[in-house]
Amino acid sequence: MKSRLAFGLMAVSLAAVSAHAEERSTVIPSEVEGSKGPEVSFSGEVEFDAYTGDLFSDGPKSHNYASTFDFNVGVKFNDQWSAEVQLEADGESTDPAAIYNGAFVQYTKSENFVVKAGDLTFSEGAFLNYYGYDDPADNAAGMAEHDIRGVEVDFNGFVFGLGFGRGDNDNQVCAEEDGEETCVGVAYDAHLAYELGLGEHTLRPYVDYKSYQEPKHNELHAGVDANLKFGGFGFHAVYGLHVDALGEDEPGATHAFLVEPSFEVGGFNIKATAFYALFDEDAPIDHGEEIPEYFFAYVEPSLNLVGALTLGIPLEYHSNTLDSDEDLGSFAAGLRLYFAPVEGLEITGFGMLNKPLGDDYGDNDDISLQLGVETVFAF
């Protein structure tokens, strides 16, 4: 129901804009002479995935899904003024509900001076090579996505954002009055980054402060994201500082380190990721999905077989825990087959064997097998 309502409202709004533009063109042609009126564009991405459970397990063989739909409507009023509205459906099912995901207006003075106001998103230090953690909405070495409703100013490489937290980035306090509970948001967020471009290299220091207006919950993210490129060799590195409870005498801190080298020549490519997070032993921070495990390493050589078909061989080690005292490591290996027949469409099939290695698994250390197919297209 929410999905149909959202699309219905969007369709009515677009129809109203189109009708209004046509009315102006017809009734007052002199006012729009030489103008085409607002330009409306559509873009988006769709992903639908299917996975098996462990095919070596006893009993019925299970399966599960993931589906994502991002739909963006852009409106260009003239060379300086534009706007965008976004819809999103995302979930581990075949029919996630589509919801409003934000809107903003934008003023472009020049390519070096842009101002946005509305619903904005900031993230830093994303995983670029490892397919399992490459969605910055969930995971990042620097900072997973922070959503705000506020303002952003981009000026000569500087990015400054300030606003109230929204969605999962907001925090609420609730009070009961006359038998009814009323909740209000209290979080606000400030973000500052600078992107320095040196030829094909970029260096991006950043800092983000979020206040829940409680000393034990105020948090700081800071660090630097570097992307270096030397011909066919690329190197991505991130240092991320995550500090919680800034009002405390000794706030807890997590230091995250990410390195991602890659090399490509002809039809051969190899990419790798190594990640390590160092937690405060006395006051470890619960980062949710942002930091999924304290250590993992991944490497995948791949070879273009013919045309749109590429074969990759991923090799992975995972700690599978945030506690270095737990012995829950595992090793995974398999095949990934990439099929990209046209630009904007990619189908990936894979099979992965996983072997638990840690002593904490006890007798439950059998090898498991999982298969999956992921389809993504953009428009």
Side-chain angles (χ1 to χ4, degrees), residues 215-265:
K216 292 185 179 181
H217 295 288
N218 295 354
E219 65 183 56
L220 176 74
H221 299 265
V224 62
D225 187 329
N227 268 293
L228 310 177
K229 189 168 180 61
F230 306 93
F233 176 74
F235 186 76
H236 176 230
V238 176
Y239 164 69
L241 171 66
H242 309 257
V243 183
D244 199 11
L246 293 174
E248 296 288 332
D249 293 335
E250 296 181 1
T254 299
H255 303 271
F257 304 89
L258 172 68
V259 292
E260 295 190 297
S262 61
F263 179 72
E264 183 175 5
V265 57

Side-chain angles (χ1 to χ4, degrees), residues 35 106 239 357:
S35 173
Q106 176 172 307
Y239 164 69
L357 300 176

Side-chain angles (χ1 to χ4, degrees), residues 121-138:
T121 300
F122 300 98
S123 65
E124 302 288 352
F127 296 94
L128 300 183
N129 286 355
Y130 181 54
Y131 62 91
Y133 299 146
D134 61 355
D135 186 351
D138 299 322

Side-chain angles (χ1 to χ4, degrees), residues 137 190 275 324:
F275 174 78
S324 60

